[in-house]
Coordinates of all heavy atoms in Angstrom, one line a residue:
F1 N 4.6 -11.2 -13.1 CA 5.8 -11.5 -12.4 C 6.1 -13.0 -12.1 O 7.2 -13.4 -11.9 CB 5.9 -10.7 -11.0 CG 6.0 -9.2 -11.2 CD1 4.9 -8.4 -10.8 CD2 7.1 -8.7 -11.6 CE1 5.0 -7.1 -10.9 CE2 7.2 -7.3 -11.8 CZ 6.1 -6.5 -11.4
Q2 N 5.0 -13.7 -12.2 CA 5.1 -15.1 -12.0 C 6.1 -15.8 -12.9 O 6.9 -16.6 -12.5 CB 3.8 -15.8 -12.0 CG 3.8 -17.3 -11.6 CD 4.1 -17.5 -10.1 OE1 3.5 -16.8 -9.3 NE2 5.0 -18.4 -9.8
S3 N 6.1 -15.5 -14.2 CA 7.0 -16.1 -15.1 C 8.5 -15.7 -14.8 O 9.4 -16.5 -15.0 CB 6.6 -15.7 -16.6 OG 6.8 -14.3 -16.8
M4 N 8.7 -14.5 -14.4 CA 10.0 -14.1 -14.0 C 10.5 -14.8 -12.8 O 11.6 -15.3 -12.7 CB 10.1 -12.6 -13.8 CG 10.0 -11.7 -15.0 SD 10.1 -9.9 -14.9 CE 10.1 -9.6 -13.2
F5 N 9.6 -15.0 -11.8 CA 10.0 -15.7 -10.6 C 10.3 -17.2 -10.9 O 11.3 -17.7 -10.5 CB 8.8 -15.6 -9.6 CG 9.1 -16.3 -8.3 CD1 9.7 -15.5 -7.3 CD2 8.7 -17.6 -8.1 CE1 10.0 -16.1 -6.1 CE2 9.0 -18.2 -6.8 CZ 9.6 -17.5 -5.8
D6 N 9.4 -17.8 -11.7 CA 9.6 -19.2 -12.1 C 10.9 -19.4 -12.9 O 11.5 -20.5 -12.8 CB 8.4 -19.7 -12.9 CG 7.1 -19.7 -12.1 OD1 7.2 -19.8 -10.8 OD2 6.0 -19.8 -12.7
S7 N 11.3 -18.5 -13.7 CA 12.5 -18.7 -14.5 C 13.8 -18.1 -13.8 O 14.9 -18.3 -14.3 CB 12.4 -18.0 -15.8 OG 12.2 -16.6 -15.7
A8 N 13.7 -17.6 -12.6 CA 14.8 -17.0 -11.9 C 15.8 -18.1 -11.4 O 15.4 -19.1 -11.0 CB 14.4 -16.1 -10.8
E9 N 17.1 -17.8 -11.5 CA 18.1 -18.7 -11.0 C 18.0 -18.8 -9.5 O 18.2 -19.8 -8.9 CB 19.5 -18.2 -11.5 CG 20.6 -19.2 -11.2 CD 21.9 -18.7 -11.7 OE1 21.9 -18.2 -12.9 OE2 22.9 -18.9 -11.0
K10 N 17.8 -17.6 -8.8 CA 17.7 -17.6 -7.4 C 16.4 -16.7 -7.0 O 16.1 -15.8 -7.7 CB 18.9 -16.9 -6.8 CG 20.1 -17.7 -7.0 CD 21.3 -17.1 -6.3 CE 22.6 -17.9 -6.5 NZ 23.8 -17.3 -5.9
T11 N 15.7 -17.1 -6.0 CA 14.6 -16.3 -5.6 C 14.7 -16.1 -4.1 O 15.2 -16.8 -3.3 CB 13.3 -17.1 -5.8 OG1 13.3 -18.4 -5.2 CG2 13.1 -17.3 -7.3
V12 N 14.1 -14.9 -3.7 CA 14.1 -14.5 -2.3 C 12.7 -13.9 -2.0 O 12.1 -13.2 -2.8 CB 15.1 -13.4 -2.0 CG1 15.0 -12.9 -0.6 CG2 16.5 -13.8 -2.3
C13 N 12.2 -14.3 -0.8 CA 10.9 -13.8 -0.3 C 11.2 -13.1 1.0 O 11.7 -13.6 1.9 CB 9.9 -14.9 -0.1 SG 8.4 -14.4 0.6
I14 N 10.8 -11.8 1.0 CA 10.8 -11.0 2.3 C 9.4 -10.7 2.6 O 8.7 -10.0 1.9 CB 11.7 -9.7 2.0 CG1 13.1 -10.1 1.6 CG2 11.7 -8.8 3.2 CD1 13.9 -8.9 1.1
D15 N 9.0 -11.1 3.8 CA 7.6 -11.0 4.2 C 7.5 -10.8 5.7 O 8.4 -11.1 6.5 CB 6.9 -12.2 3.8 CG 5.4 -12.1 3.7 OD1 4.9 -11.0 4.1 OD2 4.7 -13.1 3.4
H16 N 6.3 -10.5 6.2 CA 6.0 -10.4 7.6 C 4.7 -11.2 8.0 O 4.3 -11.2 9.1 CB 5.9 -9.0 8.1 CG 4.6 -8.3 7.6 ND1 3.6 -8.0 8.4 CD2 4.2 -7.9 6.3 CE1 2.6 -7.4 7.7 NE2 3.0 -7.4 6.4
H17 N 4.2 -11.9 7.0 CA 2.9 -12.6 7.3 C 3.3 -14.0 7.8 O 4.0 -14.8 7.2 CB 2.1 -12.8 6.0 CG 1.6 -11.5 5.6 ND1 2.1 -10.8 4.5 CD2 0.5 -10.7 6.1 CE1 1.4 -9.6 4.3 NE2 0.5 -9.6 5.3
I18 N 2.7 -14.4 8.9 CA 3.0 -15.7 9.5 C 2.5 -16.8 8.6 O 3.0 -18.0 8.7 CB 2.3 -15.8 10.9 CG1 2.9 -16.9 11.7 CG2 0.8 -15.8 10.9 CD1 2.7 -16.9 13.2
S19 N 1.5 -16.5 7.8 CA 1.0 -17.5 6.9 C 1.9 -17.8 5.6 O 1.5 -18.7 4.8 CB -0.4 -17.1 6.4 OG -0.3 -15.8 5.7
N20 N 3.0 -17.1 5.5 CA 3.9 -17.3 4.3 C 4.3 -18.7 4.3 O 4.7 -19.3 5.3 CB 5.1 -16.4 4.5 CG 6.0 -16.4 3.3 OD1 6.6 -17.5 3.0 ND2 6.0 -15.4 2.5
D21 N 4.2 -19.3 3.1 CA 4.5 -20.8 3.0 C 5.9 -21.0 2.5 O 6.3 -22.1 2.1 CB 3.5 -21.5 2.1 CG 3.5 -20.9 0.6 OD1 4.3 -20.0 0.3 OD2 2.7 -21.4 -0.2
K22 N 6.8 -20.0 2.6 CA 8.2 -20.1 2.3 C 8.5 -20.7 0.9 O 9.1 -21.7 0.8 CB 8.9 -20.8 3.4 CG 8.8 -20.0 4.7 CD 9.5 -20.6 5.8 CE 9.4 -19.7 7.0 NZ 9.1 -20.3 8.2
F23 N 7.9 -20.1 -0.1 CA 8.0 -20.7 -1.5 C 9.3 -20.3 -2.2 O 9.5 -20.9 -3.3 CB 6.8 -20.1 -2.3 CG 6.6 -18.6 -2.2 CD1 7.3 -17.9 -3.2 CD2 5.9 -18.0 -1.3 CE1 7.2 -16.5 -3.1 CE2 5.7 -16.6 -1.3 CZ 6.4 -15.9 -2.2
A24 N 10.1 -19.4 -1.8 CA 11.3 -19.0 -2.5 C 12.5 -19.9 -2.0 O 12.4 -20.6 -1.0 CB 11.6 -17.5 -2.2
M25 N 13.6 -19.7 -2.7 CA 14.8 -20.4 -2.3 C 15.3 -19.9 -1.0 O 15.8 -20.7 -0.2 CB 15.9 -20.3 -3.4 CG 15.5 -21.0 -4.7 SD 16.8 -20.6 -5.9 CE 16.1 -21.4 -7.3
E26 N 15.3 -18.6 -0.8 CA 15.7 -18.0 0.4 C 14.4 -17.2 0.9 O 13.8 -16.5 0.2 CB 16.8 -17.0 0.2 CG 18.1 -17.6 -0.3 CD 18.8 -18.4 0.8 OE1 18.6 -18.1 2.0 OE2 19.5 -19.4 0.5
N27 N 14.1 -17.4 2.2 CA 12.9 -16.8 2.8 C 13.3 -16.1 4.1 O 13.9 -16.7 5.0 CB 11.9 -17.9 3.1 CG 11.4 -18.6 1.8 OD1 10.5 -18.0 1.1 ND2 11.9 -19.7 1.5
I28 N 12.9 -14.8 4.1 CA 13.1 -14.0 5.3 C 11.7 -13.6 5.8 O 11.1 -12.7 5.2 CB 14.0 -12.8 5.0 CG1 15.4 -13.3 4.5 CG2 14.2 -12.0 6.3 CD1 16.2 -12.2 3.8
V29 N 11.2 -14.3 6.7 CA 9.9 -14.0 7.2 C 10.0 -13.7 8.7 O 10.5 -14.5 9.5 CB 9.0 -15.3 7.0 CG1 7.6 -15.0 7.5 CG2 8.9 -15.7 5.6
V30 N 9.5 -12.5 9.0 CA 9.6 -12.0 10.4 C 8.2 -11.6 10.8 O 7.7 -10.5 10.6 CB 10.5 -10.8 10.5 CG1 10.7 -10.3 12.0 CG2 11.9 -11.1 9.9
P31 N 7.4 -12.5 11.4 CA 6.0 -12.3 11.8 C 5.9 -11.1 12.8 O 4.8 -10.5 12.9 CB 5.5 -13.6 12.4 CG 6.5 -14.6 11.9 CD 7.8 -13.9 11.7
E32 N 6.9 -10.9 13.6 CA 6.8 -9.8 14.6 C 6.9 -8.4 14.0 O 6.5 -7.4 14.6 CB 8.0 -9.9 15.6 CG 8.0 -11.2 16.4 CD 8.6 -12.4 15.6 OE1 9.3 -12.2 14.7 OE2 8.2 -13.5 16.0
A33 N 7.3 -8.3 12.7 CA 7.4 -7.0 12.0 C 6.1 -6.6 11.6 O 5.1 -7.4 11.4 CB 8.3 -7.2 10.8
S34 N 5.9 -5.3 11.5 CA 4.6 -4.7 11.2 C 4.4 -4.6 9.6 O 3.3 -4.5 9.2 CB 4.5 -3.3 11.7 OG 5.5 -2.5 11.2
S35 N 5.5 -4.8 8.9 CA 5.4 -4.7 7.4 C 6.6 -5.4 6.8 O 7.7 -5.5 7.4 CB 5.3 -3.3 7.0 OG 6.5 -2.6 7.2
A36 N 6.5 -5.7 5.5 CA 7.7 -6.2 4.8 C 8.7 -5.1 4.6 O 9.9 -5.4 4.6 CB 7.2 -6.8 3.4
C37 N 8.2 -3.9 4.6 CA 9.1 -2.7 4.5 C 10.0 -2.7 5.7 O 11.2 -2.4 5.5 CB 8.3 -1.4 4.4 SG 9.2 0.1 4.2
E38 N 9.5 -2.9 6.8 CA 10.3 -3.0 8.0 C 11.4 -4.1 8.0 O 12.5 -3.9 8.3 CB 9.5 -3.1 9.3 CG 10.2 -3.1 10.6 CD 9.4 -3.3 11.8 OE1 8.1 -3.1 11.7 OE2 9.9 -3.7 12.8
V39 N 11.0 -5.2 7.5 CA 11.9 -6.4 7.4 C 13.0 -6.0 6.4 O 14.2 -6.3 6.6 CB 11.2 -7.7 6.9 CG1 12.2 -8.8 6.7 CG2 10.1 -8.0 7.9
L40 N 12.6 -5.5 5.2 CA 13.6 -5.1 4.2 C 14.6 -4.0 4.8 O 15.8 -4.1 4.5 CB 12.9 -4.6 3.0 CG 13.8 -4.1 1.8 CD1 14.7 -5.2 1.3 CD2 12.9 -3.5 0.7
Y41 N 14.1 -3.1 5.5 CA 14.9 -2.0 6.0 C 16.0 -2.7 7.0 O 17.2 -2.4 6.8 CB 14.1 -1.0 6.8 CG 15.0 0.0 7.5 CD1 15.5 1.1 6.9 CD2 15.3 -0.2 8.9 CE1 16.3 2.0 7.5 CE2 16.2 0.7 9.5 CZ 16.7 1.8 8.9 OH 17.5 2.7 9.5
E42 N 15.5 -3.5 7.9 CA 16.5 -4.2 8.8 C 17.5 -5.0 8.0 O 18.7 -5.0 8.4 CB 15.7 -5.0 9.8 CG 14.9 -4.2 10.8 CD 15.8 -3.3 11.7 OE1 16.9 -3.7 12.0 OE2 15.3 -2.3 12.1
L43 N 17.1 -5.7 7.0 CA 18.0 -6.5 6.2 C 19.1 -5.6 5.6 O 20.3 -5.9 5.6 CB 17.2 -7.3 5.2 CG 18.0 -8.1 4.2 CD1 18.7 -9.3 5.0 CD2 17.1 -8.7 3.1
L44 N 18.6 -4.5 5.0 CA 19.6 -3.6 4.3 C 20.5 -3.0 5.3 O 21.7 -2.8 5.0 CB 18.8 -2.5 3.5 CG 18.0 -3.0 2.3 CD1 17.2 -1.9 1.7 CD2 19.0 -3.6 1.3
V45 N 20.0 -2.6 6.5 CA 20.9 -2.0 7.5 C 22.0 -3.0 7.9 O 23.2 -2.7 8.0 CB 20.1 -1.6 8.7 CG1 21.0 -1.3 9.9 CG2 19.3 -0.4 8.4
R46 N 21.6 -4.3 8.1 CA 22.6 -5.3 8.5 C 23.5 -5.7 7.4 O 24.7 -5.9 7.6 CB 21.8 -6.5 9.0 CG 21.1 -6.3 10.3 CD 20.3 -7.5 10.7 NE 19.5 -7.1 11.8 CZ 19.0 -7.9 12.7 NH1 19.3 -9.2 12.6 NH2 18.2 -7.5 13.7
M47 N 23.1 -5.7 6.2 CA 23.9 -6.1 5.0 C 24.9 -4.9 4.6 O 26.0 -5.2 4.3 CB 23.1 -6.5 3.8 CG 22.4 -7.8 4.0 SD 21.3 -8.2 2.6 CE 22.6 -8.4 1.3
F48 N 24.4 -3.7 4.6 CA 25.2 -2.6 4.1 C 25.5 -1.5 5.0 O 26.0 -0.4 4.7 CB 24.4 -2.0 2.8 CG 24.2 -3.1 1.8 CD1 22.9 -3.5 1.5 CD2 25.2 -3.6 1.1 CE1 22.7 -4.5 0.6 CE2 25.0 -4.6 0.1 CZ 23.7 -5.0 -0.2
N49 N 25.0 -1.6 6.3 CA 25.3 -0.6 7.3 C 24.8 0.7 6.9 O 25.4 1.8 7.0 CB 26.7 -0.6 7.7 CG 27.0 0.2 9.0 OD1 26.1 0.2 9.9 ND2 28.1 0.9 9.1
I50 N 23.6 0.8 6.3 CA 23.0 2.0 5.9 C 22.1 2.6 7.0 O 21.7 1.9 7.9 CB 22.1 1.8 4.6 CG1 21.0 0.9 4.9 CG2 23.0 1.4 3.5 CD1 20.0 0.8 3.8
K51 N 21.7 3.9 6.8 CA 20.9 4.5 7.8 C 19.4 4.7 7.4 O 18.5 4.8 8.1 CB 21.5 5.9 8.2 CG 22.8 5.8 8.8 CD 22.8 5.0 10.1 CE 24.2 5.0 10.7 NZ 24.4 4.0 11.7
C52 N 19.2 4.7 6.0 CA 17.9 4.9 5.5 C 17.7 4.0 4.3 O 18.5 4.1 3.4 CB 17.6 6.3 5.2 SG 16.0 6.6 4.6
A53 N 16.7 3.2 4.2 CA 16.5 2.3 3.1 C 16.1 3.0 1.8 O 16.6 2.7 0.8 CB 15.4 1.2 3.5
C54 N 15.2 3.9 1.9 CA 14.8 4.7 0.7 C 14.0 5.9 1.2 O 13.3 5.9 2.2 CB 14.0 3.9 -0.3 SG 12.4 3.3 0.3
S55 N 13.9 6.9 0.4 CA 13.2 8.1 0.8 C 11.7 7.9 0.8 O 11.0 8.7 1.5 CB 13.6 9.3 -0.2 OG 13.2 8.9 -1.5
G56 N 11.2 7.0 0.1 CA 9.8 6.7 0.1 C 9.3 5.7 1.1 O 8.1 5.4 1.2
S57 N 10.2 5.3 2.0 CA 9.8 4.2 2.9 C 8.8 4.7 3.9 O 7.9 3.9 4.3 CB 11.0 3.7 3.7 OG 11.6 4.8 4.5
Y58 N 8.8 6.0 4.3 CA 7.8 6.5 5.3 C 6.4 6.3 4.7 O 5.5 5.8 5.3 CB 8.0 7.9 5.7 CG 7.0 8.4 6.6 CD1 7.0 8.1 7.9 CD2 5.9 9.2 6.1 CE1 6.0 8.6 8.8 CE2 4.9 9.6 6.9 CZ 4.9 9.3 8.3 OH 4.0 9.7 9.1
E59 N 6.2 6.8 3.5 CA 4.8 6.8 2.9 C 4.4 5.3 2.7 O 3.2 5.0 3.1 CB 4.8 7.5 1.5 CG 3.4 7.5 0.9 CD 3.4 8.2 -0.4 OE1 4.4 8.9 -0.8 OE2 2.4 8.1 -1.1
T60 N 5.2 4.5 2.2 CA 4.9 3.1 2.0 C 4.6 2.4 3.3 O 3.5 1.7 3.5 CB 6.0 2.3 1.3 OG1 6.3 2.9 0.1 CG2 5.7 0.8 1.2
F61 N 5.4 2.6 4.3 CA 5.3 2.1 5.6 C 3.9 2.5 6.3 O 3.2 1.7 6.8 CB 6.5 2.5 6.5 CG 6.5 1.8 7.8 CD1 7.2 0.5 7.9 CD2 5.9 2.3 8.9 CE1 7.2 -0.1 9.1 CE2 6.0 1.7 10.1 CZ 6.6 0.5 10.2
H62 N 3.7 3.8 6.2 CA 2.5 4.4 6.9 C 1.2 3.9 6.2 O 0.3 3.5 6.9 CB 2.6 5.9 6.9 CG 1.6 6.5 7.7 ND1 0.3 6.8 7.2 CD2 1.5 6.9 9.0 CE1 -0.4 7.4 8.1 NE2 0.3 7.4 9.2
T63 N 1.2 4.0 4.9 CA -0.1 3.6 4.3 C -0.4 2.1 4.3 O -1.5 1.7 4.3 CB -0.1 4.1 2.8 OG1 1.0 3.6 2.1 CG2 0.0 5.6 2.7
R64 N 0.7 1.3 4.3 CA 0.5 -0.2 4.3 C 0.1 -0.7 5.7 O -0.6 -1.7 5.9 CB 1.7 -0.9 3.8 CG 1.9 -0.8 2.4 CD 1.0 -1.8 1.6 NE 1.4 -3.1 1.9 CZ 0.5 -4.1 2.1 NH1 -0.7 -3.9 2.0 NH2 1.0 -5.3 2.4
T65 N 0.6 0.0 6.8 CA 0.4 -0.5 8.1 C -0.6 0.2 8.9 O -1.1 -0.3 9.9 CB 1.7 -0.5 8.9 OG1 2.1 0.9 9.1 CG2 2.8 -1.3 8.2
G66 N -1.0 1.4 8.6 CA -1.8 2.2 9.4 C -1.1 2.4 10.8 O -1.7 2.1 11.8
I67 N 0.1 2.9 10.7 CA 1.0 2.9 11.8 C 0.5 3.2 13.2 O 0.8 2.6 14.1 CB 2.2 3.8 11.5 CG1 3.3 3.6 12.5 CG2 1.8 5.3 11.4 CD1 4.6 4.3 12.0
Q68 N -0.4 4.1 13.3 CA -0.9 4.5 14.6 C -1.9 3.5 15.2 O -2.3 3.6 16.3 CB -1.5 5.9 14.6 CG -2.7 6.1 13.8 CD -2.5 6.4 12.3 OE1 -1.5 5.9 11.7 NE2 -3.3 7.2 11.7
F69 N -2.4 2.5 14.4 CA -3.4 1.7 14.9 C -3.0 0.2 15.2 O -3.8 -0.5 15.8 CB -4.6 1.6 13.8 CG -5.2 3.0 13.6 CD1 -5.0 3.7 12.4 CD2 -5.9 3.6 14.6 CE1 -5.5 4.9 12.2 CE2 -6.4 4.9 14.4 CZ -6.2 5.5 13.2
L70 N -1.9 -0.2 14.7 CA -1.5 -1.6 14.9 C -0.7 -1.9 16.2 O 0.1 -1.1 16.6 CB -0.6 -2.1 13.7 CG -1.4 -2.2 12.4 CD1 -0.4 -2.7 11.3 CD2 -2.6 -3.1 12.5
A71 N -1.0 -2.9 16.8 CA -0.4 -3.3 18.1 C 1.1 -3.7 17.9 O 1.8 -3.6 18.8 CB -1.2 -4.4 18.8
N72 N 1.4 -4.2 16.7 CA 2.8 -4.7 16.6 C 3.8 -3.7 16.1 O 4.9 -4.0 15.7 CB 2.8 -5.9 15.6 CG 2.3 -5.6 14.2 OD1 1.6 -4.6 14.0 ND2 2.8 -6.4 13.3
I73 N 3.4 -2.4 16.1 CA 4.3 -1.3 15.8 C 5.2 -1.1 17.0 O 4.8 -1.0 18.1 CB 3.6 0.0 15.5 CG1 2.6 -0.2 14.3 CG2 4.6 1.1 15.2 CD1 3.3 -0.5 13.0
I74 N 6.5 -1.2 16.8 CA 7.5 -1.0 17.8 C 8.2 0.3 17.7 O 8.1 0.9 16.6 CB 8.5 -2.2 17.9 CG1 9.1 -2.4 16.5 CG2 7.7 -3.5 18.3 CD1 10.2 -3.4 16.5
A75 N 9.1 0.6 18.6 CA 9.8 1.8 18.6 C 10.7 1.9 17.3 O 10.9 2.9 16.7 CB 10.7 2.0 19.8
Q76 N 11.3 0.7 16.9 CA 12.1 0.7 15.7 C 11.3 1.1 14.5 O 11.9 1.8 13.6 CB 12.7 -0.7 15.5 CG 13.6 -0.9 14.3 CD 14.9 0.0 14.4 OE1 15.2 0.4 15.5 NE2 15.5 0.2 13.3
S77 N 10.1 0.7 14.4 CA 9.3 1.1 13.3 C 9.1 2.6 13.2 O 9.2 3.2 12.1 CB 7.9 0.5 13.4 OG 8.0 -0.9 13.4
S78 N 8.9 3.3 14.3 CA 8.7 4.7 14.3 C 10.1 5.4 14.0 O 10.1 6.4 13.2 CB 8.3 5.2 15.7 OG 7.0 4.7 16.0
Y79 N 11.2 4.8 14.4 CA 12.5 5.3 14.0 C 12.7 5.2 12.5 O 13.1 6.2 11.9 CB 13.6 4.6 14.8 CG 15.0 4.9 14.3 CD1 15.5 6.1 14.7 CD2 15.7 4.0 13.5 CE1 16.8 6.5 14.2 CE2 16.9 4.4 13.1 CZ 17.5 5.6 13.4 OH 18.7 5.9 12.9
I80 N 12.4 4.1 12.0 CA 12.6 3.9 10.5 C 11.8 5.0 9.8 O 12.3 5.6 8.8 CB 12.1 2.5 10.1 CG1 13.0 1.5 10.6 CG2 12.0 2.4 8.5 CD1 12.5 0.1 10.5
C81 N 10.5 5.2 10.2 CA 9.7 6.2 9.5 C 10.2 7.6 9.7 O 9.9 8.5 8.8 CB 8.3 6.1 10.0 SG 7.4 4.7 9.5
S82 N 11.0 7.9 10.7 CA 11.4 9.3 10.9 C 12.6 9.6 10.1 O 13.0 10.8 10.0 CB 11.8 9.5 12.4 OG 13.0 8.8 12.7
L83 N 13.3 8.6 9.4 CA 14.5 8.9 8.7 C 14.2 9.6 7.4 O 13.2 9.5 6.8 CB 15.2 7.6 8.4 CG 15.7 6.9 9.6 CD1 16.4 5.6 9.2 CD2 16.7 7.8 10.4

């Protein structure tokens, strides 16, 4: 993917890691989020007024975050997973 990124006319980084060095042209970094999936969902909701980002978001969200164990899981995260 590096070659595609390097040759892209525009680049976007969606992340939740505070260590992100903001390497893309547009960077959406939300350290308070529990996952990039949560950041992406919120972005799509705001841009397109949708109710569910994708049918596979629960599995991705749950397996990447260990939802029941992280302190930064908020009510919104649980709501997203329930859709």
Side-chain angles (χ1 to χ4, degrees):
F1 293 111
Q2 187 67 46
S3 63
M4 290 183 351
F5 185 87
D6 292 341
S7 64
E9 187 175 319
K10 295 181 181 180
T11 57
V12 177
C13 176
I14 299 172
D15 197 2
H16 71 109
H17 293 105
I18 197 165
S19 60
N20 184 293
D21 62 2
K22 299 185 175 133
F23 53 86
M25 292 174 187
E26 297 290 332
N27 296 279
I28 302 166
V29 181
V30 183
E32 299 80 22
S34 60
S35 67
C37 181
E38 182 180 340
V39 178
L40 178 60
Y41 174 84
E42 290 297 332
L43 179 65
L44 293 173
V45 166
R46 292 175 190 205
M47 289 177 67
F48 303 110
N49 194 30
I50 61 169
K51 299 296 179 195
C52 182
C54 66
S55 60
S57 63
Y58 177 80
E59 182 179 349
T60 300
F61 188 88
H62 188 272
T63 57
R64 284 283 293 140
T65 64
I67 190 168
Q68 67 272 37
F69 300 110
L70 292 181
N72 64 336
I73 301 297
I74 56 172
Q76 180 65 15
S77 300
S78 295
Y79 171 74
I80 293 168
C81 288
S82 73
L83 298 176

